[in-house]
Amino acid sequence: MNDRQLSPRVLEALSGRELIVVSNRQPYAHSREDGEITVSRPAGGLTAGIDPVMQRTEGTWIAWGDGDADFEVAEDGRVRVPPDDPSYTLSRIDLSEEDLEGYYYGYSNQALWPLCHGMIYPVRCDGRDFERYRAVNRRFAEAVVEEAEKGSLIWFQDYHFGLAPRFVRREAPEALLTQFWHIPWPTANTYEVCPQAEALLDGLLANDLLVFHTAEYVENFLECVAETVPDATVDRDRRIVRRGDRTTTVRAFPLGIDAERTEELASESGVWSDLAERYGIGGQTVALGVDRLDYTKGIPERIDAIERFFEENPDWRGEFTYVQNGSASRSEIASYEYLQQRVDTAIQRVNRRFGTGEWQPIVRIDEMLPEEELYALYRHSDLALVSALRDGMNLVAKEYVASQIDGDGVLLLSKFAGAHAELGEDAVTINPFDTQAFAEAIERALSLSAAEREERMAAQRRRVTEYDLQAWMNDVLETALDCEPAHDRSVTHA
Ligand code: F6P
């Protein structure tokens, strides 16, 4: 992202105050390779997007130091970044095995992740994990309070920090606190299974501004507050919650991508033919699926639909290839391990049933592709299959659209992905739970005329370009500034 596109109001506000970002993943990691310390930038549009803003504000970014040499470069965890032109501080939190077990693998990813995605079966809200989650949230909050000075804008990212805002609020009552919740918020009758429901809402209501991707998640959140927090007054029309003398504003701003940069990457020529040859991507027509291997993404459901498609459309054998690019994720959790086995078995089955000596219907790429290869794959894929069972947004859908510089691909998009609210009208909508209808949707997408494909894609490209990462950031930060508590800010918290 280029900060020249931030609004004048945001630029002015940020030049006069410190921005403190709090996230689980860090923007730079130090690792040891062959005796040398190297720096890498973990993939992820958001970290890449916030980084230039941090460089401009000279703020502090607080995150888990997960690089194996992170604490070799700075024992206290504080390091100036970017490494080649240091302009802000990355303050790393060192988490022990037990911390990770309870906070990351436990409460964040076995309680909150499935709960917020409305998947009750794998939910495990273990009180012991919650205590570790609370302790880690407290440590992040302490790091915030240590950094914060008068007027700091503190911006929490995601579901790893449901309690930290309350801890910060206790120490710094006048701080301006904002949080972006990157995953869905469930309905009240799903949320009520959580024994820590009230404690989490108490933590989140310490924010001045709480942002979700869609209006539906905002509605769900307000409903949960109304049902769970006895002393809260919910104003659904104004989308605010009042408690005592404090107000939390709740808004929907759908996360966008850096469309300009995506287009640039997709424009690089000569990458696709090498990639196709290296992985044996045969067939004239290509469909892609790009995901972390997560049970919310609907990957086995997608493979089932592809299998049905080949059963019913044998003429496409040898012509149509599906490329599954899925990197392993959270593998220490049993439900993820089980998913990986299901995906392996399903791919083998389809390739055995329909593959020929020269052609495989499903090509899997398990490694994380370098950016220029990933964007070449996006550009040259005739179809993108985004079949999430539930997804906060799904940036793959937006990245595919922005990469379609030739303008003729078709996005098949689950109605249960947050991106559907913006792109659904011009996508081929799918319900990943209905194998037959999903297979027919693939067939329909392949038979759309060139004019119709181009018209749909042009409309989607307009949306993705107009409401991009920069526009989203302006909305979040301007709204945060509007939420500034109107009282004396003369107390320093440093
Ligand atoms: O979608 C929520 C999210 O936290 C994203 O922001 C992030 O890209 C993804 O999950 C990665 O998860 P993890 O950090 O657990 O690998």
Side-chain angles (χ1 to χ4, degrees):
M1 167 173 169
N2 195 318
D3 67 358
R4 70 178 184 273
Q5 284 143 309
L6 287 174
S7 73
R9 182 172 173 221
V10 169
L11 284 174
E12 194 200 319
L14 292 183
S15 66
R17 65 170 83 215
E18 188 192 21
L19 177 62
I20 300 178
V21 168
V22 183
S23 67
N24 180 57
R25 295 281 176 192
Q26 57 179 344
Y28 297 91
H30 285 87
S31 326
R32 205 167 254 294
E33 272 169 41
D34 304 326
E36 296 282 303
I37 293 185
T38 58
V39 187
S40 62
R41 301 194 58 182
L46 186 70
T47 36
I50 296 178
D51 182 65
V53 179
M54 292 301 287
Q55 290 182 38
R56 172 143 196 145
T57 67
E58 305 211 355
T60 303
W61 192 320
I62 301 170
W64 164 35
D66 63 341
D68 59 18
D70 279 347
F71 295 92
E72 274 184 59
V73 289
E75 231 174 90
D76 66 352
R78 292 167 58 82
V79 62
R80 300 282 294 166
V81 289
D84 46 2
D85 182 19
S87 53
Y88 71 92
T89 302
L90 171 60
S91 175
R92 288 162 168 157
I93 306 288
D94 194 6
L95 297 180
S96 66
E97 280 301 311
E98 291 75 24
D99 287 334
L100 284 179
E101 230 10 77
Y103 147 80
Y104 176 76
Y105 290 110
Y107 204 78
S108 295
N109 286 315
Q110 291 188 68
L112 291 176
W113 179 268
L115 180 77
C116 288
H117 286 85
M119 297 183 181
I120 300 290
Y121 177 67
V123 167
R124 204 185 75 150
C125 294
D126 187 334
R128 196 185 282 174
D129 288 344
F130 185 68
E131 283 316 310
R132 195 59 80 151
Y133 178 86
R134 189 203 298 275
V136 171
N137 268 247
R138 196 190 290 277
R139 281 180 60 199
F140 274 83
E142 281 163 6
V144 170
V145 172
E146 213 168 282
E147 296 296 338
E149 32 184 67
K150 194 169 70 172
S152 295
L153 167 54
I154 296 151
W155 192 8
F156 296 98
Q157 305 293 329
D158 231 341
Y159 60 102
H160 310 89
F161 302 109
L163 302 176
R166 176 60 63 200
F167 294 130
V168 173
R169 177 64 76 213
R170 283 190 194 134
E171 300 299 318
E174 306 81 9
L176 179 52
L177 305 187
T178 294
Q179 186 149 10
F180 185 68
W181 195 262
H182 290 243
I183 62 176
W185 190 274
T187 58
N189 65 358
T190 296
Y191 188 64
E192 72 179 359
V193 307
C194 177
Q196 296 84 17
E198 195 175 345
L200 286 162
L201 290 176
D202 177 62
L204 291 172
L205 290 174
N207 285 298
D208 297 294
L209 172 66
L210 177 60
V211 181
F212 294 94
H213 286 293
T214 71
E216 182 192 340
Y217 310 152
V218 169
E219 294 288 319
N220 289 350
F221 179 81
L222 293 176
E223 180 67 25
C224 289
V225 174
E227 295 207 354
T228 317
V229 187
D231 60 338
T233 307
V234 176
D235 183 334
R236 284 195 173 77
D237 294 334
R238 295 175 61 205
R239 290 165 294 148
I240 57 173
V241 178
R242 284 211 190 80
R243 251 177 121 205
D245 61 351
R246 296 213 71 102
T247 301
T248 302
T249 300
V250 189
R251 289 286 180 273
F253 295 125
L255 180 58
I257 59 160
D258 188 340
E260 203 179 304
R261 183 165 178 274
T262 305
E263 279 191 23
E264 273 167 31
L265 283 160
S267 307
E268 282 193 30
S269 54
V271 185
W272 170 244
S273 48
D274 287 352
L275 181 74
E277 197 183 322
R278 178 150 36 99
Y279 288 101
I281 305 171
Q284 286 304 302
T285 303
V286 175
L288 67 76
V290 177
D291 328 77
R292 271 184 318 103
L293 281 177
D294 193 292
Y295 53 79
T296 60
K297 304 291 183 188
I299 304 168
E301 290 76 3
R302 194 183 305 157
I303 297 169
D304 287 350
I306 289 165
E307 184 170 23
R308 185 71 58 86
F309 169 78
F310 280 117
E311 276 170 14
E312 300 201 345
N313 300 277
D315 291 350
W316 279 98
R317 282 180 73 181
E319 294 295 320
F320 174 86
T321 306
Y322 168 65
V323 180
Q324 168 69 38
N325 181 207
S327 47
S329 176
R330 306 173 191 167
S331 317
E332 294 183 26
I333 300 173
S335 46
Y336 285 80
E337 207 188 325
Y338 172 59
L339 171 80
Q340 284 170 30
Q341 288 163 8
R342 271 184 79 192
V343 171
D344 291 350
T345 312
I347 292 179
Q348 282 164 18
R349 188 182 65 237
V350 175
N351 281 348
R352 215 176 25 244
R353 281 190 69 191
F354 302 105
T356 62
E358 304 79 52
W359 165 85
Q360 290 287 284
I362 301 182
V363 171
R364 63 185 294 172
I365 303 177
D366 292 339
E367 71 211 88
M368 189 115 64
L369 289 172
E371 274 187 324
E372 63 283 4
E373 294 192 348
L374 176 64
Y375 289 101
L377 175 62
Y378 279 137
R379 178 179 172 184
H380 291 278
S381 292
D382 302 278
L383 310 182
L385 309 184
V386 176
S387 56
L389 306 181
R390 182 70 66 190
D391 208 330
M393 169 51 60
N394 197 292
L395 294 181
V396 167
K398 293 188 172 181
E399 287 166 0
Y400 174 69
V401 166
S403 302
Q404 280 296 306
I405 48 185
D406 310 304
D408 55 359
V410 183
L411 173 66
L412 283 86
L413 182 58
S414 164
K415 61 201 240 190
F416 307 116
H420 196 266
E422 291 170 272
L423 301 175
E425 207 177 315
D426 295 289
V428 170
T429 295
I430 49 175
N431 177 345
F433 296 96
D434 184 344
T435 306
Q436 180 62 24
F438 190 169
E440 286 167 10
I442 296 175
E443 194 189 338
R444 199 165 62 251
L446 289 170
S447 61
L448 289 176
S449 69
E452 190 170 347
R453 280 184 278 133
E454 281 161 19
E455 198 179 311
R456 285 169 181 252
M457 188 47 73
Q460 291 177 322
R461 286 174 60 73
R462 270 195 299 280
R463 170 67 197 178
V464 169
T465 310
E466 275 162 20
Y467 200 80
D468 61 359
L469 180 63
Q470 292 84 339
W472 173 82
M473 200 149 333
N474 282 329
D475 272 346
V476 173
L477 295 177
E478 286 193 17
T479 311
L481 295 169
D482 290 341
C483 293
E484 182 128 47
H487 48 59
D488 179 17
R489 306 179 52 83
S490 58
V491 186
T492 305
H493 312 291

